[in-house]
């Protein structure tokens, strides 16, 4: 067995006539943090959801920990127990307390005793800094707290791999930091992580590898300094330009041809002041 | 004349609404006055609210009948809840035949009057002379009422299951829960919370449908409220026992509908 936690070969996935993943190859080694970036609709979330088979791939193989999940006789429930997943919308169980959210799968699936499950859940809630919220219901928590519970819930199953599907996209800006700090700590402890994100600063700082996806394919991948610092592909550059410097976008970049009629001088457009400072 | 028209035209929307409301109150007062003046109150009183008969009703079997109505309803409700959950899960099953059977069942029993089912049960001894239901007469009533309740409750529960966000199943499955465990531990508890108010409404409907017991024919000690009220009204040649029976129904249904309103209110607050 290699040390690749995730080994994806020739992965294809379509939704109806929409071909969202076009022959993806991807490996994630033990202890690696891989961030997947790209415009919405590029297939990055679908790719992540294929890693624990929440989406059924059409062709290709998905090996996690050496087990082929696309094998039809694979025990997918057993495999998923070692793959933690964190969702954009948290998906905490609203009818269970914070502690029960973290113990329910341990007791029902991992067959741990209630006392052991509780001990493990509490340890993980301490890790995410929520030991004082164990008896609250999710509705009482802020978005950032809910997402940290979701991380603790996944960690309580002792995963070998953690999948993050835009974990901070549904959060108020001031709550993003607390979730990212938990993820950074997790990365420093050596957790293997595959993270779909729009947080470029996080990717630059924490990721071992950054993957840029567009139109269902991996366009560029490498060290964060390379992909984010000096991308070789034009599409990567354009994406980063839009994401990192949204206020510097000039109108003809997104208005395209309409802004500059052929043969004539550029159409007179009202000057847009991104800071709204013009009196 | 001209001045009046102009003043009318100049009424503000608030003034116009106020006048309309005064008119509505006036109408109400006039109607009430007419009713008080025209109705033959002593006759009405004697026909519907004779105190001696109220007393006789309360001491003569009202509580037994009330208890029977509650027993018939409760049994049918439990049966409908259990079987309704099963039918709802069948309706959502990936296995085609299960879905078809569930749909056929629901459409059949929702589409026919409950009284027809009761009539069928009252005649069942003709083709099957030896057939003996357990816990008679409860067995027959529970089954007849339960069969119909199952169809309605299955649809309600199905809607509740489908109202649980897809992310809940995904979260449960991604933790390694098999589909059955995810249903039992995650989806169904949330679904039942969602359908608690509509299910209570169905319980209220069942309370009233339990009056169909008269069709299958039960002994005096097993009379439900309607049957008992009717029998007493017949023998006394007076409607008072029926009024008493009616109020006894309200004794069950009003707390239930208050409960529904409370649950709906607290559900609103929770979100």
């Amino acid at each position: 067995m290699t040390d690749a936690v995730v080994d994806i070969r020739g992965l294809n996935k379509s939704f109806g006539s929409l071909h969202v993943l076009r022959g993806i190859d991807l490996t994630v080694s033990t202890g690696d943090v891989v961030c997947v970036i790209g415009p919405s609709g590029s297939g990055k979330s679908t790719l992540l959801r294929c890693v624990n088979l929440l989406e059924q791939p059409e062709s290709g193989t998905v090996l996690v920990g050496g087990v082929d999940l696309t094998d039809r006789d694979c025990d997918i429930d057993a495999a998923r127990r070692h793959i933690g997943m964190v969702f954009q919308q948290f998906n905490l169980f609203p009818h269970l307390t914070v502690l029960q959210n973290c113990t329910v799968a341990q007791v029902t699936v991992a067959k741990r005793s209630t006392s052991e499950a509780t001990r493990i859940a509490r340890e993980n809630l301490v890790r995410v800094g929520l030991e004082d919220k164990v008896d609250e219901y999710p509705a009482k928590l802020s978005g950032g707290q809910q997402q940290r519970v979701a991380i603790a819930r996944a960690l309580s199953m002792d995963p070998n791999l953690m999948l993050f599907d835009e974990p901070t996209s549904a959060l108020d800006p001031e709550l993003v930091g607390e979730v990212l700090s938990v993820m950074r700590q997790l990365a420093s402890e050596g957790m293997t992580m595959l993270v779909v994100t729009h947080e470029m600063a996080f990717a630059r700082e924490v990721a071992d590898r950054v993957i840029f996806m567009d139109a269902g394919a991996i366009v560029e991948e490498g060290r964060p300094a390379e992909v984010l610092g000096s991308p070789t592909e034009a599409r990567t550059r354009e994406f980063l330009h839009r994401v990192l410097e949204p206020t510097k976008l000039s109108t003809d970049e997104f208005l395209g041809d309409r802004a500059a009629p052929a043969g004539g001088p550029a159409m007179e457009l009202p000057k847009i002041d991104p800071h709204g400072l013009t009196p | 004349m001209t001045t009046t028209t102009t003043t009318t035209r100049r009424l503000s929307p608030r003034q116009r609404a106020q006048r309309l409301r005064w008119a509505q109150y006036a109408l109400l007062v006039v109607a009430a006055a007419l009713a008080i003046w025209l109705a033959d109150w002593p006759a009405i009183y004697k026909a519907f609210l004779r105190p001696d008969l109220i007393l006789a009703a309360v001491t003569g079997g009202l509580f037994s009948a009330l208890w029977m109505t509650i027993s018939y309803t409760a049994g049918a409700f439990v049966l409908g809840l259990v079987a309704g959950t099963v039918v709802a899960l069948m309706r959502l099953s990936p296995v085609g035949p299960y879905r078809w059977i569930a749909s056929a069942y629901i459409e059949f029993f929702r589409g026919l009057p409950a009284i027809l089912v009761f009539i069928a049960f009252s005649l069942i001894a003709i083709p099957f002379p030896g057939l003996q239901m357990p816990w008679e007469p409860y067995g027959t009533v529970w089954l007849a009422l339960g069969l119909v309740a199952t169809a309605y409750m299955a649809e309600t529960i199905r809607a509740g299951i489908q109202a649980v966000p897809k992310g809940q199943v995904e979260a449960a499955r991604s933790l390694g829960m098999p589909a059955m465990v995810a249903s039992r531990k995650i989806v169904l508890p949330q679904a039942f919370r969602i359908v608690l108010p509509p299910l209570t409404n169905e319980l209220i409907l069942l309370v009233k449908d339990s009056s169909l017991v008269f069709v299958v024919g039960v002994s005096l000690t097993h009379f439900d409220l309607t049957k008992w009220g009717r029998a007493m009204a017949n023998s006394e040649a007076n409607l008072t026992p029926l009024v008493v029976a009616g109020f006894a129904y309200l004794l069950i249904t009003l707390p239930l509908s208050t409960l529904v309103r409370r649950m709906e209110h607290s559900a609103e607050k929770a979100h």
Side-chain angles (χ1 to χ4, degrees):
Chain A
M1 212 170 81
T2 62
D3 73 336
V5 177
V6 181
D7 191 359
I8 296 172
R9 295 266 162 256
L11 180 64
N12 277 286
K13 173 75 187 172
S14 297
F15 292 118
S17 59
L18 195 66
H19 199 173
V20 281
L21 292 179
R22 302 163 183 264
I24 301 280
D25 297 314
L26 171 70
T27 57
V28 181
S29 306
T30 308
D32 266 6
V33 176
V34 176
C35 284
V36 185
I37 61 169
S40 35
S42 58
K44 50 194 195 308
S45 280
T46 309
L47 169 63
L48 196 77
R49 291 162 60 85
C50 280
V51 178
N52 68 353
L53 243 64
L54 280 184
E55 300 293 351
Q56 185 74 41
E58 262 150 32
S59 65
T61 55
V62 177
L63 269 67
V64 177
V67 178
D68 184 1
L69 304 188
T70 48
D71 179 350
R72 293 165 76 180
D73 294 318
C74 152
D75 183 352
I76 186 63
D77 296 320
R80 280 174 179 153
R81 269 160 232 172
H82 306 293
I83 309 173
M85 179 136 187
V86 175
F87 299 85
Q88 184 178 350
Q89 300 294 342
F90 329 135
N91 294 351
L92 291 182
F93 306 131
H95 61 300
L96 301 179
T97 64
V98 165
L99 189 67
Q100 289 167 335
N101 263 277
C102 298
T103 57
V104 61
Q106 292 190 68
V107 174
T108 55
V109 206
K111 302 294 172 208
R112 290 177 185 151
S113 68
T114 312
S115 60
E116 194 194 359
T118 305
R119 182 181 59 78
I120 293 170
R122 280 183 188 274
E123 276 172 20
N124 285 301
L125 286 166
V126 170
R127 267 169 107 177
V128 301
L130 286 171
E131 61 272 29
D132 54 335
K133 301 285 183 192
V134 285
D135 295 321
E136 296 282 9
Y137 281 90
K140 294 267 182 192
L141 305 183
S142 74
Q145 291 170 330
Q146 289 192 47
Q147 194 60 299
R148 286 189 281 149
V149 173
I151 294 172
R153 176 176 71 176
L155 290 176
S156 296
M157 295 296 283
D158 299 326
N160 304 322
L161 163 72
M162 285 286 285
L163 307 174
F164 291 87
D165 187 4
E166 300 196 26
T168 57
S169 297
L171 295 176
D172 289 336
E174 77 272 23
L175 303 177
V176 169
E178 60 191 67
V179 172
L180 290 183
S181 75
V182 167
M183 290 169 65
R184 193 185 303 117
Q185 177 201 326
L186 208 55
S188 70
E189 289 167 9
M191 176 62 75
T192 311
M193 293 161 63
L194 187 55
V195 185
V196 170
T197 187
H198 288 297
E199 302 293 338
M200 296 303 148
F202 176 82
R204 182 174 290 140
E205 187 197 337
V206 178
D208 297 296
R209 229 161 82 233
V210 171
I211 290 174
F212 173 68
M213 277 183 76
D214 192 21
I218 293 176
V219 176
E220 189 165 357
E221 64 172 297
R223 306 205 67 79
E226 297 159 7
V227 178
L228 300 174
S230 51
T232 53
E233 297 289 329
R235 273 189 287 172
T236 318
R237 277 199 299 273
E238 195 201 330
F239 172 76
L240 289 172
H241 169 57
R242 286 177 179 230
V243 171
L244 297 176
E245 305 156 319
T247 56
K248 289 186 183 147
L249 210 61
S250 78
T251 45
D252 29 326
E253 276 180 77
F254 60 89
L255 289 176
D257 291 344
R258 280 177 297 152
M267 199 205 300
E268 197 69 29
L269 280 166
K271 201 167 163 69
I272 293 171
D273 177 7
H275 302 291
L277 297 174
T278 320
Chain B
M1 191 64 204
T2 339
T3 12
T4 356
T5 348
T6 18
T7 10
T8 328
R9 278 208 191 120
R10 273 189 200 145
L11 281 179
S12 71
R14 184 190 60 83
Q15 286 168 322
R16 241 177 291 146
Q18 203 173 32
R19 285 205 179 178
L20 188 65
R21 200 159 318 125
W22 276 117
Q24 286 168 335
Y25 276 116
L27 187 68
L28 195 66
V29 169
V30 170
L34 276 177
I36 290 167
W37 182 46
L38 291 177
D40 182 354
W41 286 103
I44 291 171
Y45 193 67
K46 252 171 74 184
F48 293 107
L49 294 164
R50 257 176 56 193
D52 57 320
L53 282 181
I54 292 176
L55 192 69
V58 170
T59 52
L62 169 71
F63 291 107
S64 157
L66 182 65
W67 176 242
M68 282 304 129
T69 289
I70 291 172
S71 307
Y72 294 144
T73 310
F77 185 72
V78 170
L79 183 68
L81 200 60
V82 174
T85 306
V86 173
V87 175
L89 290 172
M90 282 172 69
R91 180 89 165 65
L92 296 168
S93 163
V95 183
Y98 281 173
R99 277 201 310 276
W100 305 329
I101 293 168
S103 298
Y105 180 90
I106 291 168
E107 293 307 330
F108 182 77
F109 278 100
R110 269 202 320 180
L112 48 83
I115 194 167
L116 196 125
V117 179
F118 274 87
I119 293 172
F121 271 93
S122 74
L123 301 176
I124 203 131
I126 298 172
F128 304 105
L131 192 70
Q132 187 64 45
M133 292 280 175
W135 310 301
E136 281 298 20
Y138 301 100
T140 307
V141 179
W142 286 343
L143 198 58
L145 208 53
L147 281 176
V148 181
T150 297
Y152 284 98
M153 283 156 92
E155 272 302 87
T156 307
I157 294 166
R158 177 195 59 79
I161 292 171
Q162 287 181 321
V164 176
K166 208 170 124 254
Q168 291 292 311
V169 181
E170 289 184 348
R173 298 302 306 274
S174 74
L175 287 164
M177 290 189 200
M180 287 288 274
V181 178
S183 289
R184 202 159 41 83
K185 290 282 176 184
I186 305 302
V187 178
L188 285 180
Q190 293 184 56
F192 274 105
R193 227 170 252 207
I194 295 169
V195 299
L196 213 51
L199 275 187
T200 313
N201 274 327
E202 258 145 47
L203 179 58
I204 293 173
L205 295 181
L206 266 186
V207 172
K208 299 184 288 174
D209 277 350
S210 68
S211 61
L212 293 170
V213 164
F214 81 90
V215 177
V216 292
V218 290
S219 64
L220 188 68
T221 48
H222 290 106
F223 278 4
D224 75 303
L225 279 172
T226 301
K227 179 80 181 163
W228 164 83
R230 186 183 176 191
M232 192 170 168
N234 268 332
S235 63
E236 300 289 344
N238 188 281
L239 294 175
T240 304
L242 277 182
V243 174
V244 173
F247 276 102
Y249 275 111
L250 294 184
L251 218 58
I252 311 173
T253 54
L254 285 184
L256 284 176
S257 47
T258 313
L259 191 69
V260 174
R261 227 171 303 127
R262 283 239 185 100
M263 284 188 297
E264 280 169 350
H265 187 65
S266 64
E268 265 167 39
K269 272 198 296 190
H271 286 288

